[in-house]
Amino acid sequence: DDSELAGIENFIRANDTGVNAQLHGKYKGKNVVVVSLESLQNFVIGRKINGQEITPFLNKFTKESYYFDNFYHQTGQGKTSDAEFLIDNSLFPLDRGAVYFTNSGNTFTATPAILKQDQNYYTSVMHSNNKSFWNRDMMYPSLGYDRYYNEVDFKVSAATSIGWGLKDKYFVEQAVDKMVAEPKPFYNRMITLTNHYPFELNDEDLMIPRLKTGDQTVDNYVTTVRYLDESIKHFIEEMKAKGLYNNTIIVMYGDHYGISENHNRAMSEVLGQDITPAEHVKLQKVPFFIHVPGQTKGETIHKVAGQIDVKPTILNLLGEDPNKTSINFGNDIFSPKHKNFVVFRDGTIVTDKYIYTGEKMYDPNTGEELKGQKPPKEDLAKANKSLEYSNSIIYKDLLRFYEVKYKKADTKFE
Ligand code: GP9
Ligand code: MN
């Protein structure tokens, strides 16, 4: 009932680390594009194989935008859709199943709904797959999306597709054209696809040679990552060419891992070290970028953070007070008080001081087990309560009782 939500709001207030005051509202009224980088893990950034960069464009982009190198995915079984859920809601995905399927009819307080209602933004998602994949066509109206550009809205042919559908390079090009035609300001999410298991690529798109570990998944992965990198380069060029770059906040995040632990042997060959439990946790880092209008100088931020923090960070840039307009389990990453803390959906905790996973403690730098140690009680409580409260909100549809009401979009997508 509503008293349960009041208790959760108290917990959130107690863990509110505030916002960055200088950045508050600094980009009010600007467009926002949030790009989901399929299966992109952070270990590829800055790494060379056989003398060649895997992500030459993104490596350059770290020099002209905010780049977070200790940023973690927090997804569960819902994969891409869980990452989307985290990004828009600052709630955790479910412990099992996919919230996009199980609770699409709930009341939410999502970024698109907030921006639409408070600031008259046009809101959309662009993804060239069947509209009902991950039940997206049912979920998006509940999050407040005006429009879902799906497979039927893109020009797709045999020559321009591979694996799951339209190749990223063609996708980003058409996506930018759609943005040009949209009402402004907009909040758009784009979901890329080509760097998806099993990482298939046509020879004509192969820009670096496959690896030779003998593990096909790992050997192919770097080549589709390279292709994704090239597609993002094309995306940024198109944004510039079509006049959108200088009035749009561009946010990009890796959605989840691409290489599971079944490939540890090949991964240890690539990284030149054993995949210990601590290393496995660190492999859950995904790249996270924010480029703000007019930014020319980059900054690498080492803060330990996660997908849960994206929504309050964006809202602060646009002049919303995150915790006055919605319920958020994350905090503005730019806040000077933001804690180095992230909890995964499985209860793993990462801070700047320790990694806690499988009920064991590890040194985050050396990976050595910290025998006999436990996380501070308040960290454990924060982690457990966050996951538990977030679950309650979803399972009991508690945002029905939230003081600010957001209308569902009355859209039906073709
Ligand atoms: C499907 C795409 C991939 O539309 O988003 O989903 P995933 O398998 O990564 O969850
Ligand atoms: Mn995915």
Side-chain angles (χ1 to χ4, degrees):
D1 55 12
D2 56 343
S3 68
E4 190 170 355
L5 187 66
I8 296 174
E9 289 194 68
N10 278 335
F11 168 81
I12 285 183
R13 258 191 297 278
N15 289 292
D16 186 350
T17 51
V19 297
N20 182 308
Q22 275 89 51
L23 291 175
H24 181 75
K26 189 164 176 196
Y27 300 98
K28 199 177 164 109
K30 301 295 182 192
N31 305 313
V32 182
V33 180
V34 183
V35 186
S36 164
L37 304 167
E38 180 58 44
S39 302
L40 194 66
Q41 292 178 230
N42 197 58
F43 78 87
V44 296
I45 304 291
R47 185 174 298 274
K48 283 185 181 170
I49 47 167
N50 308 318
Q52 278 177 286
E53 291 174 288
I54 310 173
T55 57
F57 177 75
L58 290 176
N59 296 347
K60 254 192 241 116
F61 204 60
T62 63
K63 309 265 162 50
E64 51 204 67
S65 61
Y66 298 108
Y67 163 60
F68 297 79
D69 62 357
N70 281 305
F71 181 92
Y72 288 85
H73 85 81
Q74 295 165 290
T75 62
Q77 291 172 345
K79 305 299 296 282
T80 308
S81 71
D82 277 359
E84 294 184 56
F85 185 74
L86 277 147
I87 300 294
D88 276 345
N89 295 289
S90 195
L91 295 172
F92 289 92
L94 291 175
D95 43 345
R96 63 197 127 91
V99 53
Y100 262 49
F101 272 113
T102 59
N103 294 82
S104 64
N106 276 21
T107 296
F108 294 105
T109 59
T111 304
I114 295 171
L115 293 179
K116 194 149 73 102
Q117 192 153 312
D118 288 3
Q119 302 196 27
N120 206 24
Y121 272 62
Y122 185 77
T123 59
S124 80
V125 180
M126 302 177 177
H127 180 51
S128 181
N129 194 356
N130 185 290
K131 66 172 181 178
S132 60
F133 201 92
W134 283 128
N135 207 32
R136 286 176 170 117
D137 57 332
M138 294 294 130
M139 184 54 136
Y140 288 160
S142 298
L143 301 178
Y145 282 105
D146 292 312
R147 183 78 202 259
Y148 175 22
Y149 301 93
N150 58 78
E151 197 174 23
V152 299
D153 298 287
F154 289 87
K155 284 189 251 72
V156 188
S157 71
T160 57
S161 21
I162 181 98
W164 286 53
L166 186 62
K167 297 187 202 179
D168 288 343
K169 217 166 158 194
Y170 299 94
F171 165 67
V172 301
E173 201 168 291
Q174 294 180 40
V176 173
D177 285 341
K178 293 185 194 307
M179 284 181 223
V180 169
E182 277 187 337
K184 313 285 180 310
F186 55 69
Y187 172 86
N188 280 338
R189 287 202 293 98
M190 283 167 59
I191 306 169
T192 62
L193 193 56
T194 309
N195 187 42
H196 191 288
Y197 182 85
F199 313 115
E200 283 176 78
L201 203 61
N202 303 118
D203 283 340
E204 77 213 44
D205 295 319
L206 200 63
M207 276 166 284
I208 51 173
R210 297 188 174 87
L211 290 177
K212 293 195 184 89
T213 67
D215 180 324
Q216 224 183 52
T217 301
V218 175
D219 293 352
N220 288 345
Y221 180 71
V222 294
T223 66
T224 48
V225 167
R226 178 67 188 84
Y227 177 81
L228 172 57
D229 181 80
E230 195 68 17
S231 304
I232 296 303
K233 179 181 177 195
H234 191 51
F235 164 62
I236 298 292
E237 283 169 355
E238 287 291 296
M239 289 291 282
K240 288 179 178 169
K242 304 281 161 74
L244 288 172
Y245 191 66
N246 288 326
N247 47 30
T248 304
I249 300 171
I250 297 172
V251 177
M252 302 195 283
Y253 68 95
D255 64 348
H256 50 72
Y257 65 81
I259 308 289
S260 76
E261 54 203 339
N262 299 332
H263 306 280
N264 277 357
R265 190 205 53 78
M267 279 304 290
S268 67
E269 198 176 316
V270 175
L271 301 180
Q273 65 179 102
D274 285 348
I275 312 302
T276 59
E279 198 52 42
H280 172 72
V281 168
K282 288 201 230 171
L283 279 171
Q284 307 314 307
K285 286 183 196 178
V286 292
F288 182 56
F289 292 92
I290 299 178
H291 184 273
V292 292
Q295 184 173 20
T296 50
K297 235 179 105 274
E299 190 181 334
T300 296
I301 300 176
H302 306 302
K303 196 139 259 185
V304 177
Q307 290 165 335
I308 199 94
D309 296 314
V310 174
K311 175 192 175 194
T313 304
I314 293 175
L315 288 180
N316 185 56
L317 296 174
L318 299 178
E320 295 280 334
D321 289 321
N323 288 349
K324 291 204 180 104
T325 44
S326 58
I327 295 271
N328 302 291
F329 284 89
N331 278 290
D332 174 17
I333 307 187
F334 290 120
S335 167
K337 292 196 224 122
H338 183 281
K339 294 229 164 70
N340 284 294
F341 183 93
V342 68
V343 57
F344 295 4
R345 187 51 266 192
D346 71 358
T348 293
I349 301 172
V350 182
T351 76
D352 50 339
K353 307 208 168 50
Y354 66 84
I355 290 172
Y356 177 66
T357 193
E359 299 189 4
K360 287 189 175 146
M361 295 282 280
Y362 300 91
D363 184 307
N365 302 311
T366 64
E368 296 289 322
E369 190 180 341
L370 301 169
K371 289 224 170 73
Q373 294 196 32
K374 275 203 155 78
K377 268 205 203 71
E378 58 274 21
D379 285 12
L380 264 184
K382 182 181 164 184
N384 294 337
K385 284 221 147 58
S386 297
L387 295 171
E388 195 182 299
Y389 283 155
S390 181
N391 264 3
S392 293
I393 285 180
I394 297 167
Y395 286 131
K396 299 178 194 170
D397 194 10
L398 292 181
L399 293 177
R400 282 178 293 156
F401 305 114
Y402 188 64
E403 53 259 37
V404 190
K405 305 287 177 207
Y406 297 102
K407 282 196 277 313
K408 297 189 184 200
D410 50 7
T411 20
K412 234 180 130 4
F413 304 114
E414 277 166 47

